[in-house]
Amino acid sequence: MKILSVISSMDPVKGGLSQGVRNLVPALAALGVHSEVLSFDAPDAGFLGQDDFPVHAIGPAKGPYAYCAALRPWLEENVSRFDAVIAQGLWLHNNAGTWRVLRQLRRAQSAAGPRFYVMPHGMLDPYFQKAPERRWKALRNVLAWKLFEGAAVNGADGVLFTCAQELLLAREPFSPYRPQRELDVGFGIQAPPPLTAAMAPAFAARCPGLGDKPYLLFLGRVHEKKGTDLLLRAYLDLRRKRPDMPALVIAGPGLESEHGRSLLAMADGQPDVYFPGMLRGDEKWGALYGCDAFVLPSHQENFGIAVVEAMACGKPVLISPQVNIWRECAPGGLVDEDNAAGVTRLLTRWFALSPAERSARGVAAFAAYRRHFAAGEAAQRLLRALRAVQNEPMGVAA
């Protein structure tokens, strides 16, 4: 089978979507699947050229909708090489634009062509329509759904979900919502690189002053949605009562944003709070392997790649039930609500555990990663689903 993923950007700074693709493609390759990626990045973007699979950059895209005029001619010339096309993510031109071209090609050529799938990656979560700070974006999404986005989702041969919770939540925010197939295919990550002697120093260089202190780790985009303000505030409140607490590292892009600047101001003058920015390579894995626990009290998280990466490193995870995979993760950590009281309880419960209990949670976290989130298993589930659809009649709505 040959699969084309269409994505607005492969830039790792823009979130976990591109990393999800980078995790999936090698796992599919191990099963004999040939994958290529079509992105709307500029061909000379600095983050391109480092992947072991073809990435066709046909941008740069224009405007907030990431419109890419080169999409149609590229698909017209190349799409016949593929058995399946997956639009990775919603609300940008890569989804509805791809669906529109494929539908027109099917009609013009009177041939089935490749199957078309949409993988929302949590972008149909009702949170995005309810969050007060997203009022105008929510209205924009309603209009986009009525005009073209809903037609692409409902017209696709299947909608691919990363977990059962995402599938259920996707049914809530928009109407009409009548996908031809809802497919819970799961998601996974590649096994982390083995711990090496270079990793800890690489991370330490990004956190001068941390030294050998134990620490809790947040690793991800520094954004209000992630609950980083709740985490920092709860940590500082508890630290006033127990100065022997481990340090807190909040790592990731976004410190230049208004939310990031507010966190820096909140932590100003406070000991043992570190903001190393975005971590890559040995820096990132050194941070994960070295932490006591990973913390993500997010208000909405479809999958949480960094959560699973921490589990793959044998680290307990402290998360909210708004992380959609929390049920699978629960044996390997603690779960509490995404509000001030909940995050305070989360940290308090963690500090109350004995060293043996914390170690046991780490062992359980690694076991849960192997059971639910290994990339090879996720790739097999996806491939089984695609092959099953391949053998069914082509839907008329497509």
Side-chain angles (χ1 to χ4, degrees):
M1 178 172 281
K2 296 182 178 180
I3 298 175
L4 175 69
S5 286
V6 187
I7 188 171
S8 60
S9 178
M10 289 293 284
D11 187 351
V13 173
K14 294 185 177 180
L17 197 60
S18 62
Q19 185 58 50
V21 173
R22 290 185 168 100
N23 286 330
L24 178 62
V25 169
L28 287 171
L31 300 175
V33 176
H34 174 78
S35 297
E36 298 181 24
V37 173
L38 182 64
S39 85
F40 296 175
D41 299 299
D44 59 351
F47 50 82
L48 297 176
Q50 303 173 34
D51 296 298
D52 295 330
F53 51 86
V55 178
H56 307 281
I58 60 171
K62 296 181 179 179
Y65 182 55
Y67 175 77
C68 187
L71 175 63
R72 174 178 292 275
W74 194 95
L75 288 175
E76 289 176 344
E77 183 176 349
N78 293 278
V79 77
S80 61
R81 297 191 289 113
F82 300 96
D83 303 298
V85 177
I86 303 175
Q88 303 281 354
L90 300 181
W91 309 118
L92 298 175
H93 186 222
N94 65 300
N95 179 40
T98 300
W99 169 78
R100 188 178 297 113
V101 174
L102 293 185
R103 182 185 59 169
Q104 292 172 355
L105 288 176
R106 286 178 182 177
R107 291 175 175 174
Q109 298 171 2
S110 300
R115 297 283 188 160
F116 174 64
Y117 301 89
V118 176
M119 197 162 194
H121 293 277
M123 296 181 189
L124 289 176
D125 195 299
Y127 164 84
F128 295 109
Q129 296 304 107
K130 296 177 180 179
E133 70 276 8
R134 289 184 52 88
R135 185 164 57 111
W136 294 111
K137 289 184 177 179
L139 176 59
R140 176 205 64 187
N141 287 354
V142 171
L143 293 174
W145 184 267
K146 298 293 186 183
L147 291 173
F148 47 82
E149 203 76 5
V153 171
N154 293 328
D157 293 288
V159 183
L160 308 174
F161 295 101
T162 60
C163 62
Q165 182 72 1
E166 183 197 2
L167 186 154
L168 294 174
L169 290 172
R171 297 171 177 173
E172 297 182 18
F174 299 104
S175 179
Y177 175 74
R178 295 187 295 267
Q180 295 189 45
R181 298 173 184 87
E182 295 174 302
L183 304 170
D184 176 10
V185 297
F187 212 49
I189 68 164
Q190 297 292 320
L195 178 62
T196 68
M199 290 176 178
F203 169 60
R206 297 295 302 273
C207 285
L210 179 61
D212 295 329
K213 298 173 187 174
Y215 60 93
L216 300 177
L217 175 68
F218 167 91
L219 179 67
R221 188 162 53 98
V222 179
H223 190 277
E224 184 178 8
K225 180 176 82 83
K226 306 286 187 176
T228 42
D229 54 335
L230 298 177
L231 171 60
L232 179 56
R233 192 171 292 112
Y235 174 83
L236 294 177
D237 287 346
L238 288 173
R239 202 178 191 288
R240 294 185 187 100
K241 303 169 188 174
R242 357 181 351 170
D244 60 333
M245 283 173 51
L248 175 64
V249 175
I250 297 178
L255 292 174
E256 74 288 347
S257 66
E258 181 179 352
H259 178 72
R261 292 194 299 271
S262 72
L263 296 185
L264 292 171
M266 191 189 309
D268 186 37
Q270 302 290 336
D272 292 336
V273 180
Y274 300 87
F275 297 91
M278 187 170 182
L279 303 177
R280 295 181 173 89
D282 282 351
E283 301 167 349
K284 167 186 164 180
W285 295 113
L288 286 167
Y289 275 117
C291 71
D292 278 7
F294 182 91
V295 192
L296 179 63
S298 187
H299 299 302
Q300 189 280 329
E301 202 73 31
N302 179 56
F303 183 79
I305 289 176
V307 175
V308 178
E309 288 177 335
M311 295 168 67
C313 293
K315 298 301 175 179
V317 293
L318 315 182
I319 58 177
S320 73
Q322 276 58 54
V323 178
N324 283 346
I325 57 172
W326 71 268
R327 292 179 180 84
E328 293 87 346
C329 298
L334 298 173
V335 182
D336 217 314
E337 296 299 325
D338 61 322
N339 53 41
V343 179
T344 299
R345 283 195 304 268
L346 190 66
L347 298 182
T348 302
R349 291 167 58 199
W350 172 252
F351 297 137
L353 296 178
S354 69
E357 289 172 323
R358 296 179 188 180
S359 179
R361 298 293 173 110
V363 172
F366 181 73
Y369 154 70
R370 292 288 300 272
R371 185 180 311 116
H372 299 293
F373 306 123
E377 294 296 320
Q380 288 185 36
R381 291 195 297 271
L382 173 62
L383 190 55
R384 284 196 297 268
L386 298 186
R387 283 175 171 165
V389 175
Q390 203 79 10
N391 294 326
E392 296 178 8
M394 184 74 75
V396 294

